[in-house]
Amino acid sequence: MGVPFDFAEGRPDLINAILNGLDRYNPESTSVLQEYVMSQCESQTYDCYANLALLKLYQFNPPLSRDETISNILVKALTVFPTPDFSLCLSLLPPYTLFPSGTRSATPAAGDAPLAEAVQKLTLLNNLLSGADYATFWATLDSDDLYADLVADVTGFEELMRVRIAVVLSSAIREIQRPVLEGWLNLHGKEFEHFIKDVCEWKIEGDNVQVPLNKDNKAEGTVVRENVKFDQFARIVRRAYEQPA
Amino acid sequence: MSLRQAQPFQNGSAPARAIADDESDAEEDALVQDYREQVQYDQDGLEDLNRTISAQAGSNEGIFQQLGNAALPLDFQATLDTKISSYYNYCDLFHFLLNTAGPLDVEPPNYYWAWDVIDEFIYQFNSFCSYRQRLALKRDNTEEVQVMRDKQDVWACYSVLNVLYSLIQKSQITEQLAAQKRGEDAAAYAGDYGSRPLYKMLGYFSIIGLLRVHCLLGDYSLALKTLDDIELSKKAMFARVMAAHFTTYYYVGFSYMMMRRYADAIRMFQHILIYVSRTKNFQKNPAQYDSITKKNDQMYALIAICVAFQPTRLDDTVHTAIREKFGEQFNRIQRGGPEALPIFEELFRLACPKFITPTPPDYDNPEVNVDPIDHQLAIFMEEVKINMWSPTLKSYLKLYTTMDLKKLANFLEVEPDKLRSRLLVNKQRSRQTRWSEGGLLDGEITNTNDLDYAIQGDLIHVSEAKVGRRLVDWYLRNLARTY
């Protein structure tokens, strides 16, 4: 059974109360939710539904909005790719953030430019991740100091991303050449071996890495059969009683 | 309500005007309305008669008149003043309904009245926000901009939400629906207000209204969450009002699509499109049916988009209709590749709701006011771009059971590394959350693709999931026909 979108493990009661009540629109909830984002960053937990509620408060009350928190939320959403979370966050941001300032005339009055830049940079990362172009993702991440600033608040960002990449690729791959995987994880030599053996518990055989079989990388042919529920026949059965003849 | 310019000619067809704000449609629409006026004249004459009688009996004619007026659409050429005063009229009415000493003892004028009121209320909010946006972009009408600046509170997002939530709370509709779900008597939970049809209906349709407002603001998950208490079925209360039925499925389907749950989105669109095509001949109110034609086409466009993301066998009637309406576009988006991008964009623009931002635009810096539709479109198009290679890839994989990565890369004229990424993307996108029971946000992750594969070194192992014959549907349909 899947986990409902609005569920997060270990969500504090206070947050739950805010999310399920009208306080989710109360500007005074902002600080509580902001702290909650910070604690997610520090403790490597994640609660998309609560973060979206905070973005909504920002959407309604732009003066309360804090660029730093927005970028932290987006970075957290990166760590759960390829879910739609990142896009859902983007949908709640002010519309100008996604468009390069080149298309607008350069006005100094548009003082929010740093946010737009951060959002666009993170969107680029998200697209690389969604497009499974992991090697370029790492290269891009290293290419600009701004990225380092953006992800700085999220404890263990690189480690989180490596684990996530490993999880995602294990759904499609049984065996992969070592150099390719090294590029995807941005790890080499001893560190690479440690990560593969101890964190993922995969095997390195010669120049290849073996990924154990799981339900997704089996690729078995199946025949989908329809599920017939008794309810579907309720009308027919009722008819049979109504018209005994 | 004296400032309202709308002519009281169409009860129960407020959504008719939903198509009226496209300027290009204006003329055509005027004709339609004119026609409708003539056709409905008799019917309305009768209703007016009834109204006077019952109003006299109840001796609160004024209120009754107000209730009736609230459901009427504004003239689509209404001036800014009219729009603003219409907002204040709504405020007065809702204030009166909610904050009088006790519940108002009036029957709603008719069963679709409550829907019409909420629908019109949100429609006016929506078009006011769009108007505000356009005003800021045009930057030539300083007079109106000044009015907007002075009246920031008019059609403010907080007050609209406030009305909807207050109606829901006052009528205790969520408690009632929850009780209904448990199989208990809802009336026991209704309270003073909720036991009266007027409040109950207003509360109920306010939930649907919230779904719509959240979706317009781009909060898709909250939109779906809002419907937790409403069961989506033909027996639900909203199904009694065609326009409500229709609107609900449109927004639920759209929200699912933006959450990339294409299987669920297709299920929603398909359900309502089949329903509409089957009941076409039984619609009592041809004018109202007319008015949903545009939304209908929008949903065909959306279902085409979803099928392009996730090839699905559609119901025959739906499939034929898509071919008729969007044949060429449908073919091209299913083929994918960069050539399909403009088509996706075109269809999305045609079919998306008119998104709004909750805050007034920046009148001093028109450049920073990006149209919210462009914003949502940009987000959607990123997803399209990521998926655009999947159709070609799948068509090749279908032909083999094992395939060498380099060889396939050669066929597709890409580098092996790129191909590996595309394979991963396609695999990830085939795993989708899919609803099976519970709230709309619940679901299980399922493989929605009939093709599955795994990469072993340079070798791709392909397997196919064959769908067994679907007999139950056929069997039931024929049983129903013969007996």
Side-chain angles (χ1 to χ4, degrees):
Chain A
M1 182 66 202
V3 182
F5 183 82
D6 52 336
F7 175 84
E9 213 181 321
R11 179 189 290 158
D13 291 342
L14 175 64
I15 304 289
N16 235 336
I18 290 176
L19 293 179
N20 292 323
L22 285 181
D23 270 343
R24 62 154 51 238
Y25 299 102
N26 186 348
E28 283 167 26
S29 305
T30 315
S31 57
V32 182
L33 287 170
Q34 268 166 191
E35 278 163 35
Y36 187 45
V37 173
M38 268 329 278
S39 84
Q40 288 173 47
C41 290
E42 283 157 18
S43 64
Q44 308 202 341
T45 52
Y46 178 65
D47 189 342
C48 186
Y49 192 63
N51 295 350
L52 288 173
L54 178 57
L55 289 178
K56 197 176 184 83
L57 271 170
Y58 288 163
Q59 189 191 30
F60 282 14
N61 310 284
L64 294 176
S65 155
R66 282 193 359 196
D67 293 1
E68 224 181 275
T69 314
I70 294 178
S71 62
N72 280 344
I73 290 176
L74 290 176
V75 173
K76 284 304 283 184
L78 282 182
T79 64
V80 293
F81 88 96
T83 58
D85 297 18
F86 191 88
S87 308
L88 294 178
C89 293
L90 286 185
S91 293
L92 291 176
L93 295 182
Y96 72 87
T97 47
L98 269 188
F99 294 87
S101 51
T103 59
R104 307 177 263 129
S105 59
T107 37
D112 288 301
L115 178 64
E117 193 185 359
V119 171
Q120 283 157 31
K121 292 223 140 153
L122 292 173
T123 307
L124 175 65
L125 287 188
N126 182 56
N127 289 342
L128 291 171
L129 288 170
S130 309
D133 198 350
Y134 308 122
T136 319
F137 162 76
W138 293 110
T140 315
L141 191 64
D142 288 338
S143 67
D144 193 332
D145 287 344
L146 187 65
Y147 285 115
D149 290 347
L150 288 172
V151 302
D153 283 340
V154 179
T155 318
F157 175 75
E158 299 199 350
E159 184 73 6
L160 278 173
M161 290 317 295
R162 276 183 194 115
V163 173
R164 189 69 199 171
I165 291 171
V167 168
V168 168
L169 67 87
S170 73
S171 72
I173 281 172
R174 290 184 209 162
E175 188 185 300
I176 183 165
Q177 296 89 339
R178 180 169 168 160
V180 177
L181 191 55
E182 281 181 340
W184 282 0
L185 294 173
N186 196 28
L187 281 177
H188 303 275
K190 278 248 162 55
E191 286 177 328
F192 177 76
E193 282 165 28
H194 165 75
F195 183 81
I196 295 297
K197 282 183 190 152
D198 301 331
V199 182
C200 306
E201 301 184 346
W202 296 347
K203 274 190 226 123
I204 303 177
E205 279 176 16
D207 208 22
N208 285 325
V209 177
Q210 303 275 349
V211 181
L213 281 184
N214 56 47
K215 78 172 180 11
D216 287 321
N217 70 0
K218 266 191 212 148
E220 281 178 326
T222 45
V223 177
V224 183
R225 309 190 58 181
E226 60 184 332
N227 252 330
V228 186
K229 288 192 181 131
F230 185 71
D231 285 359
Q232 291 176 275
F233 285 85
R235 258 176 69 185
I236 301 290
V237 176
R238 202 186 316 136
R239 273 279 176 83
Y241 278 101
E242 282 166 358
Q243 302 175 326
Chain B
M1 287 289 188
S2 58
L3 275 163
R4 298 182 65 102
Q5 300 185 333
Q7 296 162 334
F9 55 73
Q10 39 169 220
N11 286 314
S13 54
R17 240 261 335 275
I19 51 173
D21 58 340
D22 268 346
E23 275 162 11
S24 56
D25 285 342
E27 203 179 294
E28 191 180 62
D29 207 65
L31 284 172
V32 171
Q33 295 212 347
D34 192 35
Y35 171 68
R36 203 173 287 144
E37 195 172 359
Q38 294 167 16
V39 171
Q40 290 208 323
Y41 183 74
D42 290 341
Q43 195 190 334
D44 278 344
L46 269 180
E47 270 178 34
D48 280 344
L49 203 66
N50 286 336
R51 188 181 287 180
T52 12
I53 294 167
S54 58
Q56 276 164 357
S59 83
N60 34 24
E61 194 170 347
I63 293 161
F64 211 82
Q65 192 63 43
Q66 254 192 328
L67 294 183
N69 282 345
L72 296 177
L74 272 189
D75 186 38
F76 66 86
Q77 283 166 333
T79 60
L80 185 59
D81 281 345
T82 319
K83 287 173 181 162
I84 291 174
S85 66
S86 169
Y87 167 76
Y88 288 122
N89 284 333
Y90 274 113
C91 287
D92 289 348
L93 176 68
F94 288 126
H95 182 80
F96 181 69
L97 284 175
L98 292 165
N99 300 334
T100 317
L104 196 64
D105 194 15
V106 180
E107 286 291 310
N110 47 50
Y111 70 94
Y112 46 71
W113 169 83
W115 163 257
D116 282 356
V117 171
I118 301 293
D119 181 57
E120 183 58 22
F121 180 62
I122 293 172
Y123 176 79
Q124 287 191 20
F125 165 60
N126 193 349
S127 58
F128 189 84
C129 289
S130 305
Y131 184 78
R132 199 167 59 179
Q133 180 78 23
R134 274 203 302 275
L135 198 62
L137 283 177
K138 271 194 284 179
R139 66 204 297 198
D140 53 359
N141 199 336
T142 42
E143 205 176 303
E144 290 199 344
V145 167
Q146 195 50 45
V147 177
M148 291 286 198
R149 276 186 217 264
D150 293 344
K151 300 212 184 274
Q152 297 262 354
D153 60 321
V154 173
W155 289 114
C157 208
Y158 263 117
S159 59
V160 170
L161 285 174
N162 189 9
V163 166
L164 297 176
Y165 276 108
S166 305
L167 287 169
I168 290 171
Q169 275 186 335
K170 208 70 173 187
S171 62
Q172 297 181 294
I173 190 73
T174 43
E175 289 83 355
Q176 293 192 54
L177 289 168
Q180 224 166 35
K181 228 178 202 174
R182 291 194 303 266
E184 293 173 45
D185 182 14
Y189 295 84
D192 266 0
Y193 285 86
S195 50
R196 287 162 210 272
L198 182 83
Y199 288 93
K200 187 176 174 188
M201 300 295 255
L202 276 175
Y204 184 86
F205 288 121
S206 293
I207 300 181
I208 313 263
L210 270 184
L211 158 78
R212 185 161 154 194
V213 172
H214 288 321
C215 190
L216 288 173
L217 291 169
D219 198 344
Y220 308 110
S221 54
L222 192 59
L224 293 177
K225 178 78 185 155
T226 310
L227 287 199
D228 260 1
D229 297 304
I230 292 186
E231 209 168 331
L232 284 184
S233 74
K234 284 175 198 155
K235 284 180 216 138
M237 195 148 75
F238 66 74
R240 287 181 57 204
V241 185
M242 186 59 191
H245 196 177
F246 206 70
T247 309
T248 310
Y249 276 85
Y250 170 79
Y251 284 101
V252 169
F254 191 84
S255 300
Y256 268 139
M257 186 182 97
M258 294 306 272
M259 291 189 80
R260 302 191 201 146
R261 295 174 61 164
Y262 304 110
D264 289 323
I266 292 172
R267 193 165 48 85
M268 291 296 147
F269 293 136
Q270 183 153 278
H271 165 92
I272 193 69
L273 289 171
I274 292 176
Y275 182 78
V276 171
S277 73
R278 286 203 185 137
T279 53
K280 196 164 21 179
N281 302 328
F282 308 112
Q283 286 302 316
K284 287 176 214 119
N285 189 342
Q288 201 183 7
Y289 183 75
D290 217 50
S291 77
I292 55 183
T293 312
K294 182 171 177 188
K295 268 253 140 39
N296 212 26
D297 284 359
Q298 289 187 321
M299 287 211 264
Y300 278 115
L302 289 176
I303 203 170
I305 290 177
C306 292
V307 170
F309 273 108
Q310 192 206 310
T312 311
R313 213 190 124 93
L314 294 173
D315 180 275
D316 283 346
T317 46
V318 175
H319 196 247
T320 320
I322 297 180
R323 295 227 151 272
E324 267 169 29
K325 290 175 203 291
F326 303 105
E328 178 56 23
Q329 286 120 307
F330 190 44
N331 277 337
R332 283 172 68 183
I333 57 174
Q334 278 182 305
R335 242 178 283 143
E339 309 82 44
L341 296 180
I343 317 279
F344 271 107
E345 199 172 318
E346 182 194 328
L347 290 179
F348 185 89
R349 276 189 190 280
L350 175 91
C352 71
K354 292 200 170 2
F355 293 109
I356 48 174
T357 46
T359 46
D362 185 344
Y363 298 108
D364 300 319
N365 302 297
E367 327 63 65
V368 303
N369 300 314
V370 174
D371 187 340
I373 295 177
D374 292 334
H375 178 67
Q376 302 293 339
L377 176 69
I379 295 168
F380 172 77
M381 287 309 288
E382 295 292 357
E383 182 59 16
V384 174
K385 276 179 214 152
I386 282 160
N387 276 292
M388 69 183 175
W389 304 108
S390 292
T392 338
L393 189 61
K394 274 191 247 176
S395 66
Y396 271 97
L397 288 175
K398 259 197 182 122
L399 304 173
Y400 305 91
T401 51
T402 50
M403 179 69 182
D404 188 73
L405 189 94
K406 296 210 172 80
K407 202 162 138 196
L408 183 58
N410 222 354
F411 285 166
L412 293 167
E413 295 170 358
V414 290
E415 297 132 42
D417 279 347
K418 273 250 162 61
L419 176 61
R420 216 177 270 120
S421 295
R422 286 183 195 172
L423 284 166
L424 281 176
V425 169
N426 185 41
K427 181 93 178 190
Q428 288 158 19
R429 289 300 189 262
S430 68
R431 299 288 186 272
Q432 259 177 54
T433 314
R434 199 173 190 169
W435 182 85
S436 56
E437 56 183 350
L440 290 176
L441 280 176
D442 297 2
E444 286 172 55
I445 296 181
T446 44
N447 181 9
T448 53
N449 202 337
D450 53 356
L451 202 71
D452 206 0
Y453 52 86
I455 307 169
Q456 189 159 26
D458 267 349
L459 208 59
I460 312 166
H461 296 270
V462 187
S463 67
E464 213 174 335
K466 292 195 177 71
V467 181
R469 287 186 65 188
R470 296 192 168 271
L471 294 169
V472 174
D473 214 34
W474 181 87
Y475 184 57
L476 281 176
R477 228 181 300 155
N478 282 287
L479 265 180
R481 203 175 292 157
T482 48
Y483 113 134

